[in-house]
Amino acid sequence: MSVRSTAFIPAVFKNLTFWVLIAIISGVLVGHFTPETGKGMKVVGDIFISIVKVFIAPIIFLTIVLGIGGMGDLRKVGRIGLKALLYFEVVTTFALGIGVAAAIIIRPGHISRAGLDINDASDYTSKAQQAFDWWEFFKTNITLQALILAIIVGIALNYFSQRERIVATLYKISGFVFKLLKLIMWLAPVGAFGGMAYTVGKFGLQSLLPLGKLMLTMYLTMAIFIFLILGAILRFYKIRIMDLIRYLKPELLIVLGTSSSEPALPNLIHKLERMGCSKPVVGLVVPTGYSFNLDGTSIYLSMSVIFLAQLYDVHLSFTQILTIVGLLMITSKGAAGVTGSGFVILASTMTAIHSIPMEGLGFIIGIDKFMSEARAVTNFMGNAVATIAISKNEGDFVDREHSLNIE
């Protein structure tokens, strides 16, 4: 064996991407061949996500406070915030429209109902019949609470005479938190294994065939959105979408394995700063985008509603479709980056629509977990592109040679 080949082996084993990929494949095999064992792995994936979620609130708080306080210019904060919200609203609305258009053109709801099992949806259906309470949502959503508190503290910090000293201290705390999280992320393969083993063990592969058309339609639509829509936005700023995907490959695999974009949020912040986005823009746009810029969730919600209408042969007029899109423009902003949140928002939206039978949610729950990977990846890429676009637009992007090749 040559010196070159022996040097290559340790590098592979030290690569987190390699272990996450191995974990995903192992999880699928365990879930398929030993379903009961696979179902028992749910707790493993849940524990990993729970550990990472402990870091989410402090990281959002620190990045936003440093983003606002580090600028020292509230007018710039307001300008970036306004640009971000405008961008989020336009792109997510466009995503909703694409979801509706794809469902109407491909008609995934015109499939056989044979083999569909809705028994596991009873708990979700009962929750869906409860009115959506925004105040309750706010009280239980620590991400949104951290976001609002950070904005208030960041603005107030600009009026302190010791602002620079406080900001320097917060930077040190932020650095420590990120280093600690970097160590925790080596548990990502364990979380990815647990999530995939449970998914395949619980629902199997054969039972999902009747809903394959919906899954295929959704994955295809989200791929088109990423490569064409997000790709066009990046192309405008002279960046290729494939270069960004390669740069964020380890984080994308973590998102794919855990079906959640939250575990990759800290690494996304770090990598966007390393590739040239300014720290203040990253600190404002990324955490805010995780609550308000959910492109994948928007596509999932609009397509699922149209799918269920087709499944029950419910004719929706153009006015009704516009009403649904308008409603989803509001409810989709309430979906966090946590696994399963998209289904909860779908249930809440269905409650308000009335014209489509609520039991239709049972057809979605069987494959919701499989579609959550596509949702999470699209949400993740959407926030990465949004941050780059706003940073470029602000003139706060530092072009670094080979920045997308940084590992």
Side-chain angles (χ1 to χ4, degrees), residues 25-93:
I25 295 172
S26 301
V28 171
L29 294 175
V30 169
H32 179 64
F33 291 107
T34 57
E36 291 304 316
T37 302
K39 284 187 282 188
M41 293 295 104
K42 181 179 186 296
V43 65
V44 177
D46 290 347
I47 289 174
F48 170 70
I49 292 179
S50 297
I51 293 174
V52 174
K53 284 175 65 177
V54 171
F55 288 83
I56 298 303
I59 284 175
I60 286 178
F61 178 81
L62 288 168
T63 51
I64 289 185
V65 169
L66 289 171
I68 297 176
M71 283 184 188
D73 183 354
L74 290 180
R75 286 179 298 179
K76 185 175 182 180
V77 172
R79 185 176 68 249
I80 293 175
L82 184 61
K83 283 183 180 180
L85 291 177
L86 181 62
Y87 176 97
F88 296 161
E89 195 58 48
V90 170
V91 177
T92 53
T93 301

Side-chain angles (χ1 to χ4, degrees), residues 64-66 68-69 74 149-159:
I64 289 185
V65 169
L66 289 171
I68 297 176
L74 290 180
L149 178 61
I151 292 173
I152 295 172
V153 173
I155 293 174
L157 192 58
N158 283 274
Y159 295 98

Side-chain angles (χ1 to χ4, degrees), residues 19-259:
W19 291 111
V20 171
L21 191 58
I22 291 296
I24 291 173
I25 295 172
S26 301
V28 171
L29 294 175
V30 169
H32 179 64
F33 291 107
T34 57
E36 291 304 316
T37 302
K39 284 187 282 188
M41 293 295 104
K42 181 179 186 296
V43 65
V44 177
D46 290 347
I47 289 174
F48 170 70
I49 292 179
S50 297
I51 293 174
V52 174
K53 284 175 65 177
V54 171
F55 288 83
I56 298 303
I59 284 175
I60 286 178
F61 178 81
L62 288 168
T63 51
I64 289 185
V65 169
L66 289 171
I68 297 176
M71 283 184 188
D73 183 354
L74 290 180
R75 286 179 298 179
K76 185 175 182 180
V77 172
R79 185 176 68 249
I80 293 175
L82 184 61
K83 283 183 180 180
L85 291 177
L86 181 62
Y87 176 97
F88 296 161
E89 195 58 48
V90 170
V91 177
T92 53
T93 301
F94 197 70
L96 287 170
I98 289 178
V100 169
I104 291 175
I105 293 171
I106 302 178
R107 297 164 65 87
H110 289 269
I111 58 177
S112 170
R113 300 188 188 186
L116 291 173
D117 183 6
I118 64 173
N119 292 333
D120 289 331
S122 56
D123 181 54
Y124 291 89
T125 304
S126 62
K127 290 180 181 178
Q129 291 171 346
Q130 301 173 9
F132 188 76
D133 189 336
W134 282 101
W135 175 242
E136 184 65 24
F137 172 76
F138 174 76
K139 288 194 300 181
T140 57
N141 192 321
I142 191 170
T143 301
L144 192 57
Q145 294 170 12
L147 182 67
I148 294 173
L149 178 61
I151 292 173
I152 295 172
V153 173
I155 293 174
L157 192 58
N158 283 274
Y159 295 98
F160 276 79
S161 58
Q162 301 294 319
R163 179 182 67 85
E164 292 183 3
R165 181 179 297 178
I166 296 173
V167 168
T169 301
L170 290 176
Y171 270 123
K172 291 180 181 179
I173 296 173
S174 177
F176 172 76
V177 171
F178 273 101
K179 286 180 181 177
L180 184 58
L181 185 67
K182 187 175 182 179
L183 295 175
I184 296 295
M185 289 312 295
W186 280 98
L187 294 175
V190 179
F193 169 79
M196 293 304 295
Y198 168 74
T199 298
V200 178
K202 173 71 173 178
F203 302 110
L205 299 176
Q206 297 294 327
S207 61
L208 302 179
L209 291 179
L211 292 175
K213 189 175 180 181
L214 174 61
M215 290 178 60
L216 182 61
T217 302
M218 196 160 294
Y219 270 81
L220 177 63
T221 304
M222 292 188 186
I224 290 173
F225 181 84
I226 290 174
F227 288 102
L228 294 187
I229 307 305
L230 298 182
I233 294 172
L234 283 182
R235 176 62 67 178
F236 181 79
Y237 294 106
K238 297 179 171 41
I239 296 175
R240 294 186 301 177
I241 186 69
M242 283 306 303
D243 288 340
L244 182 63
I245 290 174
R246 279 192 289 268
Y247 179 59
L248 297 174
K249 181 174 63 176
E251 289 70 35
L252 285 169
L253 284 172
I254 291 171
V255 172
L256 184 66
T258 61
S259 300

